[in-house]
Every structure is written in structure tokens, then in C-alpha cells.
Amino acid sequence: MKRRIAFFSVLFFIVQAAKAQSLEDLNHIQIKWKMGANDHLQKGQFSAAFLITNNGNTAVNLSDWILCFSYPREIKEVISKNAKFENKGGEFVVMNVLKGFGIIDGKKKLEVNYLAKGKTLNITDAPSGLYFVSKTNPGKLFTVKNFASDLSTLSAENEMLAAAQRYQKFANTNDINIGQLHKVIPKPVSYIENKGFFKLNANTKLIADSAFVNEAKLFNQEISSLLGTKLNIAKSQANNAVVIKLAAGLSLEEYRLTVADTGVQVEASTPQGAFYGLQSLKMLMPTNVWAKRSKEIAISKVEINDYPRFAYRSLMLDVARNFQPKAEILKLLDLLALYKINTFHFHLNDDEGWRLEIKSLPELTELGAKRGHTFDDATHLKPAYGSGADTTSLPGSGYYTQEDFIEILKYAKDRHITVIPELETPGHARAAVKAMDYRYRKLMAQKKHQEAIEYLLRDTSDQSVYKSVQGYKDNVMNVALPSTYRFINTVVDELVSLYQKAGARLSTVHMGGDEVPQGVWEKSPAIAQLMTNKKIITYDDLWYYYLGKVNQLLKSKNLHLSGWEEVAMRKVKDGEKLNYIANPDFLGENFQVYVWNNVWGGGSEDLAYRLANAGYKVVLSAVTNYYFDLAYQKDTHEPGLYWGSYVDTDKPFYFSPFDYYKTAREALDGTLLNRDVVKGKERLTEEGKKNIVGIQSQLWSEKIYNAQSMQYMLLPKLIAYAERAWTTEPDWSKEVDSVKSWQLYLDDWSRFANVVGKRELNRLSYYHDGFNFRVPPPGVIIDQGKIKANVQFPELVIRYTADGAEPHAKSEIYRKEISAKGIIKFKAFTTSGAASRTIMVQNPKM
């Protein structure tokens, strides 16, 4: 009898376990992440919870499953005592429900409450990419489809504060009649608009000097998409023609553009100048001309002479953290070309991904281009930044074949865009390190020891303990190994070959060089031997050794080294204090240094100027103004990071490259900046100005999940960046009187904002199948019971509802202050129908 009871008990357990393991049952699981409160017990922490609800009728035992997800915060304590969290590297976190708490009956829920370090301020701080993995069958995975984040504890008060801040800022923008606006962005050096239009149609001829055949071809392709037919090519001067003419004496990117009754003339001394003249010609066209085919295009009559302020105008796009397919890169290049941005800095590898096929090292993409569920990175990388369990899906997985990359290079070259590849080394290299480990294991299994270590990037005997800024303990190449330099040499050789096949020029490789953590290499036998052999005294000196080696490697291929600011810095001791100075060792080596760190209050506000004054070529890449992955505003519902600042469209516009202290206005938290942070900081000298190569904007992709989110974070910020990189230094930047400077700025900003609102946003709705630009939500205040609203860009239309419904294209138009009580919802719309997110305010009844 006892045996029968035992048998049925075991059978019952097996049946129940099988039930608990059913993926079908997990379909009924709903997870809500709920934010609690910041500053919990005033200990630099916040409270939050996972609410896991079983909407089915069958009990589910979550003790049989591990919940995996991406999370940017460190969990300190589970106050509900029913689960355990563990960080698996970077932002990859797992949660185990403890035994005795895991069974959730039908229609019941489990609440896991915890405390975490820091703060949560917006939706980007929430967990993402949730999935379950079976504890007994690691191949059994289930992606959580029913997941939501609830930040309602922050929303109401924060939303009203953010809306009020917008209102105050937007109030500085004046509405300007469209007839008074320049139609070309970036603003040209000289612009005269005359009355009337030239009508471009199917009868218009295209005449181009032989030096400009490529530019004429691209222009004609664009016209064909607008008119349905290409312009006929003519050899001699004619009326009703677009003439692209070679003219002597203009600078490299300079052009003259004349539109008259009889036709169009673009003059330039170089193909670049001709190309930019044609981009300005496109700017003069009606903004909706890309919406559908037309029989003719009316182009305003103008006289323009134009050239850029800076020769280097660049966007950096990170495709390593989260990938963008080739088609999106080509579309992005068209956008850069339109706004006369001539460089594309391509961040191709990082800890979380390697995105370019290297044929001699296929493991780089076999392992390094794939993310999905794993705890050991044996065949692919761990999930990161919400990429989830699936190794085949975007944005975690993906890479460019060599054919893709050649196509991108050719496409960019035709549009006079230089592509600078970034090979992130020696830090931020986890994808490469793990891929070469994979190669090592394969070859060691075949007993090919020498081949196995040929490209190994770590010392297998290294016991060093470190943690990178992004939370990795295994992401740095070992600079003592010959195989590290063999790896770099092989990758650079293939890059050179790809550029040659594309007919594109490669003069530099960006070698990264940032954020190598403390503690790295300190317990590596290979490092110890190198330090003895080369008489290297400190671990910091290894950095300079590495840079010297890589610099010589690149020079042997007629390339110069580019890198983030650390490549030009040296640590020196001042008593007990460590300082960073411009490294004298590499002055004269033609390093191009990208300086991002001007964080207000961080101590390095003047770093870019110090390096330029010392003699380094500097690309201004200021985090406070040009990190476009940072949120537009401090607002619970506004996506984006905020560790270095908030970056709205005005930030890249009001940046003054030669004196960015002067135009610094916002502290990290979006409040008014205390000017004391720039007191005593080094100023840019006249000699230093000569070393400012240009300006670069950056879009890091940790929180960029698709093309739509990429475009949202880029636009319209990128337009403001283009204006500052191209346009002559504005009067407000040069004016020493602060009152006059501010008024001049407001006039210039109003001009720019009107062009964006009345022309560019509508153009971007249609240009090359349209872009998902951000429509800024209205600013709103409640003043003595009256609700007032305004917009950032004139021409946006505010619509509202007072019945709880979402505003839509036919909702009531806001024209003046309103007295409606209760919950009022506002939304801004462009004339093309694009809309902002909804802003909800509560006007209490008196």
C-alpha cells in the first residue's frame, strides 16, 4: 500500500511539474513592472516591483522558471523576500522565484518588491526584453508578450512640471511670416530671394560639366522620382534648364546657386560644391513635392553663395549595441547628404556586438553578431539592451556582409560622405574577445594549438579583477599578446581592402580607446612579463605602449589614428591627486581626437580646449549638446538616457564651438546651470582654434530598438546640429554684451524654429519615404484656472479634448487659453499629420 501511495505521489508530482513547464500556461502570464518612489529612506535608492499575474485557470509554478531581462539598475535588496536577482554581466539580469512562493494559482498574482541603486526618472529606466527559461530544460524559452511598465507614481506631477518648463521655453519663439524665411537649411552665407518661381518640368533640360556627371546623375534620379521622368540631357546652353557649371576660384565645398525665370545655374569648382548646390536646390522645392508625383515643381528664385564653417561635419552611429539593417543606413546617408553632413562615423563593434564580416575571422560574426539566451557566451553573446532570447531577431543580432559594406561605402562616396570605421579597442571589446575565445576552443578541440592562439585576445592565465562602466568583467583585449596586434592588423587589412573595392578613400581608422577600467591586466602573467622586458613601470604606462604599437601599425598602412579623448591623455600625479594632461608623447603624430566629456560639474569641462591648445586635432563631440541618445527633456514619458544631460533641439543649435562655456545653460538635471562650474577653466586660444577640426553628433544605440526610435532621437536635433556645423559663426556667438547676445540668439532661434516648423518637418514626412521625427509635445501651464498652451515650432497645430478621448486630427483646435475643467488632453500636429505624444493636465474645479 505504501509503495502504491508513493508511486501515485511521484506520478502526481511529475504531472504537476509537466503542467508547470507548459509553454501554453505561460501565455497567460502578465507582467507589470511598477515604479515605486525615488529617494527611498533618503539612501540613494528607489523602490519598484514586478507584479506577475496568472490570467489563466491553471496554476503556474514560476519556481521552475528563470525570468531573464535587461535592466540598467543594480538591485540591492528584495524586500518581499520571495525572489532572488542576479546580474549576469552588463545589463543582463535574472530573477529566480524562491521555493514556496512560485506557484501562482489561476487569476492570482505574485508581487516581487525590491530596492535598487540610484533613481528612475523615465520610461527608458524600466526593464526590457523579458523572457522565461526553464530550469530543467535550458532550451525551452518563452518570450513574455504581455508586459507593461507603470510609472504612474512619477507621472502626474512630473508631466505637469515638464509641460510648464516647455511652455516657458517655447514662449521665447516668435512666429515669423514664411515669406521672410530662408528656405535653405543650414542657413547659407549669402541668401537673396527674389519674387517669382522657376517651373521645373518634363521639358526642363539638364546640362552638366563633365566634372559633375555623378552629381547630375543623382539629381536626375531624384527628379525622376518626383516628376515620373528624367530630365533630358543637353550639351549646350539652353533656356528652361538646370545647368551645373564648373567655375574657378571657389573653395572645396563652396557653391553658387542662381534660380531665375529662365532656369537654374549651380556653379562650383569641385564635385562636392556642385553636390551641395543641388541639395540647396532641393531645399527650395515645395516640401510636399516628395509626397506624390507632380507635373511641375515651382522653385523660388534666389541668389545664393555658400560654403561651410567647418570642413568636418559628422554623425556617429552605434550599430554594435543595437543593429540597423543596410537599408536604414542608406536612408540615413540620404538624410546626411540633404543637410550637408559630410562624414559618417560607423561604430561597428562594442561589448554587445560585432557587425562587419571579416572573412579571415568568420567567428567575429558567427558569434559576435548574435545575441540571445545564454549564460556562457559559448556560441553567441548574452542578451543586452532588451534584445531578448531569440538569436535571429533584430536589433540584437545582425551584421553587414562585405558586399553590404561595399555598397554602403559606394553609396556614401557618391554623396560625398566619408565613412570612418571604428574598431573599438582595447576596451569595449567583449564581442571580439568572446568570438576569438570561440575560435580558440574550436581549434584546440582539433589539437591545433598554434592556430588556436593566433588571434586570442586574452591571457588565459589572467586573474585580474575589474568591472567596466557598463558592468562587464571580461571586455578588454590584453595588450601584451602579439595575437592582439595580429588581430588588429588582420581586421584593418580587410577594411583597407573593402575600401579599395568600393573605390572609397580610407585615411584613418577610429580605434576607440575609451573607458579601460581600473584593475585590468594587473594579474596577467603576459602583462607582467611585458612590463619586465620593456621596463614598463606602471599599469597606466601600458596604455601608452599599446597606443604606440597601434599607431605604428596604422602608419605602416598610410593611415592615421583617430580615437576618443583618452588617446591624447596622460595620467600624472600631483602629490596624492591624479590629473590628466595632454600626452606629449603623441603630439605631432596626427592623432584626431574626439572629445565628448564636457559634463558640467564633472571637472573635465575644458578638456577639448586643453587638448586643442596643446596641439592635438580635436573633433568637438560634446555630450551636453551632441549625444542624441539623451532624452529631449526631463519627462517621465520621454525616452532616452540622461546621465550626461538632456538634449532638446535647441541644445545643438546654441552650442558655440569656440566658447561653449558662454552658451552653457542647463545643468545635468535640466535646471539652470550654476556658472561657477566654468570658472577658472582653460579657454581656447587662437592657436587652439586652428586645431578644432569640426563638430560631431553621436547616436549611441543602447536604447535604440528599431529605425523608428533611431529617427525619433535624431530628428529634429540633427537639423540643428547641421546648422551649427555648416553655418558661419552667428552674431550672438560673437557678441560680448550678454543682453544683446541673448536677444540676437532669440531672433536667430526664432528664424530657425520657424523654418523647421513650416518647412522641414513637412519635408521629412515625405522625403525618401518619410522619417519618424519627433513632434515636440505642447508646452502647457495653468494660470489662475486658465489653461495656456504653446508649441516649440510655429505652424504646429495644437488640438485638445476635454472628454477623456485621445486628441486626433479633427479634434478641437487650441487657439487661445481655455477654462475647461477636469482632465484635458493636448497633442501637437504638423500640417502633414504627424503628431506628438499626448499631454494630459488636470484643471481642478474651483
Side-chain angles (χ1 to χ4, degrees), residues 279-322:
Q279 301 314 299
S280 291
L281 179 60
K282 286 159 56 177
M283 285 268 175
L284 294 168
M285 296 176 182
T287 58
N288 64 353
V289 75
W290 284 271
K292 61 181 181 179
R293 287 182 176 175
S294 307
K295 290 186 177 179
E296 67 176 18
I297 302 170
I299 303 175
S300 299
K301 292 161 61 176
V302 296
E303 299 168 48
I304 296 175
N305 180 218
D306 199 14
Y307 47 84
R309 180 182 183 188
F310 291 105
Y312 186 95
R313 307 175 303 280
S314 177
L315 169 71
M316 186 228 71
L317 178 67
D318 166 19
V319 294
R321 270 61 175 269
N322 279 324

Side-chain angles (χ1 to χ4, degrees), residues 20 47 72 138 142 161 211 263 307 340 400 427 541 566 574 631 642 644 660 718 733 745 799-800:
S47 60
F142 179 83
L161 179 60
Y307 47 84
K340 303 182 177 76
Y400 308 108
D541 292 336
E566 288 95 327
D574 182 8
Y642 50 82
Y660 53 70
L718 187 73
S733 177
Y745 167 76
R799 296 181 182 271
Y800 71 96

Side-chain angles (χ1 to χ4, degrees), residues 45-230:
Q45 60 189 3
F46 64 91
S47 60
F50 283 99
L51 281 65
I52 306 174
T53 303
N54 180 4
N55 291 322
N57 296 314
T58 305
V60 175
N61 188 357
L62 289 188
S63 296
D64 295 334
W65 298 88
I66 302 169
L67 180 64
C68 304
F69 55 95
S70 296
Y71 194 42
R73 296 292 180 265
E74 181 183 342
I75 296 172
K76 295 173 60 178
E77 179 186 353
V78 180
I79 52 180
S80 56
K81 308 296 184 185
N82 54 1
K84 180 182 178 182
F85 292 91
E86 183 182 358
N87 181 280
K88 293 289 188 178
E91 290 192 359
F92 185 34
V93 179
V94 300
M95 183 186 85
N96 283 277
V97 178
L98 300 180
K99 286 186 178 179
F101 298 97
I103 295 176
I104 310 178
D105 291 328
K107 312 303 181 184
K108 300 293 183 180
K109 70 179 179 181
L110 171 71
E111 186 166 337
V112 179
N113 295 280
Y114 66 87
L115 300 176
K117 281 187 179 181
K119 292 185 177 184
T120 284
L121 296 180
N122 69 19
I123 191 66
T124 298
D125 293 335
S128 58
L130 283 74
Y131 66 92
F132 286 105
V133 57
S134 168
K135 289 182 180 178
T136 57
N137 182 359
K140 188 179 285 189
L141 305 168
F142 179 83
T143 297
V144 178
K145 302 176 184 69
N146 195 347
F147 173 73
S149 297
D150 180 357
L151 286 84
S152 56
T153 56
L154 305 178
S155 294
E157 182 180 349
N158 287 359
E159 190 165 4
M160 275 306 301
L161 179 60
Q165 288 173 341
R166 285 195 300 272
Y167 185 88
Q168 297 300 330
K169 183 161 74 169
F170 298 172
N172 289 321
T173 304
N174 296 317
D175 194 349
I176 301 173
N177 185 285
I178 195 166
Q180 298 176 264
L181 299 173
H182 292 174
K183 292 185 172 70
V184 175
I185 276 190
K187 180 184 175 183
V189 173
S190 171
Y191 180 101
I192 300 171
E193 186 167 333
N194 301 311
K195 289 184 178 179
F197 301 91
F198 168 70
K199 304 291 181 65
L200 188 148
N201 54 44
N203 296 320
T204 303
K205 302 292 188 294
L206 180 60
I207 304 168
D209 189 279
S210 59
F212 305 138
V213 170
N214 174 67
E215 290 65 42
K217 179 182 175 183
L218 285 178
F219 178 72
N220 215 359
Q221 287 173 354
E222 185 104 34
I223 294 302
S224 176
S225 70
L226 304 181
L227 295 178
T229 183
K230 290 183 178 180

